[in-house]
Amino acid sequence: MVVRLILAIVAFALAMAVLQMALVGLVLAGLIFRPKETIGLLLICGTISLFAAHPYICLGLLAAGGLVALAKSKGTDEGDEPKHLE
């Protein structure tokens, strides 16, 4: 009975190692054939995991980025059109 349990654990660990190697192979193939999309996907996944680990810091960074984007989209004078509408 104990031998079957140990073999089941070893088989599960082996299956997880094979899946991890397949995932690494897919990421490497993506970096070779479609680098922009793969890097974008990795950045999105990294951002999501960072937000899950440190939500208040990420909310602050998101607010700061929004303020910078808002400031950049404004014209220099009150009568100027925003730059993205020119």
Side-chain angles (χ1 to χ4, degrees):
M1 186 69 165
V2 175
V3 174
R4 282 188 177 179
L5 180 65
I6 292 173
L7 286 176
I9 291 172
V10 169
F12 181 74
L14 185 62
M16 289 298 109
V18 168
L19 286 174
Q20 188 176 7
M21 287 187 334
L23 186 63
V24 168
L26 285 173
V27 170
L28 288 175
L31 286 173
I32 292 170
F33 295 111
R34 296 194 184 264
K36 289 181 191 175
E37 291 85 356
T38 305
I39 292 171
L41 181 64
L42 290 173
L43 286 175
I44 289 171
C45 292
T47 303
I48 290 171
S49 65
L50 181 66
F51 198 91
H54 305 288
Y56 295 119
I57 294 173
C58 289
L59 282 175
L61 290 175
L62 188 64
L67 288 174
V68 168
L70 185 64
K72 286 189 101 171
S73 71
K74 296 274 186 189
T76 56
D77 293 334
E78 292 180 10
D80 286 348
E81 291 280 330
K83 291 183 180 178
H84 64 277
L85 294 177
E86 290 180 356

